[in-house]
Amino acid sequence: MAHDIRTDSPTSPSHLDEDRSWRDTAARYALLPLRVFLGVTFVYAGLDKLTDSAFMHDSGSGSIGDLMRSVRDSSAIPALVDLALKNPVGFGTAIAFGEIAVGLGVLLGLFGRLAALGGALISLSLWLTMSWAATPYYYGNDLAYLMAWTPLILVGTPFLSLDAVLRARRRQRGRGPVGRNFQG
């Protein structure tokens, strides 16, 4: 029985690129649409809050203060709403900037797991306060967002991301010139 002798290793990039099937490629980038959707949605939500002239007020039609007062008694954790009601505009501003930071972090893939965790925490807090009383429960979209963040918390943003670029640079620096022994 004759065997071919391979000159490349099974883990070399050229071998992986040649043998990668469309399923492998699809699996590798499967979370990319979710990243884009969540990133764009959270950036949009944050910008929408900051640019809505009625939203960033303690009271009045469409204000964050009135919104929080309207959901206070039906939320899972009324004390959390009470805490936010101490400074509704500050809370709204923090949520808006948090959403923008999370969205950009996931879109750019910079500290992807941390950004996804931030998105999950924002979604959790909104689910327990704003959309808790939705009946049936699946009408409250914050629970779905919370679940959507979970795969990105687990996997991060390993492809098409600044995290991947930084990881590659760290690996390059760690190798150093081949065949030389540098002493600090």
Side-chain angles (χ1 to χ4, degrees), residues 44-67:
Y44 178 77
L47 291 174
D48 190 42
K49 286 174 182 63
L50 291 175
T51 59
D52 184 344
S53 60
F55 187 76
M56 289 296 181
H57 287 93
D58 289 342
S59 61
S61 179
S63 70
I64 187 165
D66 280 1
L67 177 63

Side-chain angles (χ1 to χ4, degrees), residues 109-169:
L110 183 61
F111 305 114
R113 281 192 172 124
L114 183 61
L117 179 61
L121 291 174
I122 290 170
S123 297
L124 176 64
S125 68
L126 293 175
W127 176 56
L128 292 174
T129 56
M130 300 294 181
S131 61
W132 179 258
T135 305
Y137 76 92
Y138 50 82
Y139 281 170
N141 63 350
D142 296 311
L143 179 59
Y145 281 105
L146 173 62
M147 294 300 116
W149 285 112
T150 304
L152 294 176
I153 293 171
L154 296 173
V155 176
T157 53
F159 305 111
L160 298 176
S161 66
L162 292 175
D163 286 344
V165 170
L166 294 172
R167 189 171 40 257
R169 282 188 181 173

Side-chain angles (χ1 to χ4, degrees), residues 9-148:
S9 77
T11 59
S12 70
S14 63
H15 173 61
L16 289 177
D17 290 339
E18 291 168 6
D19 289 347
R20 178 164 285 144
S21 71
W22 69 270
R23 286 183 183 160
D24 293 334
T25 302
R28 182 177 186 174
Y29 297 106
L31 292 180
L32 193 57
L34 183 62
R35 255 178 73 191
V36 170
F37 171 75
L38 290 171
V40 168
T41 301
F42 267 57
V43 168
Y44 178 77
L47 291 174
D48 190 42
K49 286 174 182 63
L50 291 175
T51 59
D52 184 344
S53 60
F55 187 76
M56 289 296 181
H57 287 93
D58 289 342
S59 61
S61 179
S63 70
I64 187 165
D66 280 1
L67 177 63
M68 287 192 293
R69 280 186 281 283
S70 73
V71 299
R72 188 231 177 257
D73 293 333
S74 62
S75 72
I77 308 174
L80 193 58
V81 178
D82 289 339
L83 182 64
L85 278 169
K86 290 182 180 188
N87 185 354
V89 175
F91 176 76
T93 302
I95 289 291
F97 280 113
E99 286 171 335
I100 292 169
V102 162
L104 289 176
V106 169
L107 280 173
L108 298 173
L110 183 61
F111 305 114
R113 281 192 172 124
L114 183 61
L117 179 61
L121 291 174
I122 290 170
S123 297
L124 176 64
S125 68
L126 293 175
W127 176 56
L128 292 174
T129 56
M130 300 294 181
S131 61
W132 179 258
T135 305
Y137 76 92
Y138 50 82
Y139 281 170
N141 63 350
D142 296 311
L143 179 59
Y145 281 105
L146 173 62
M147 294 300 116

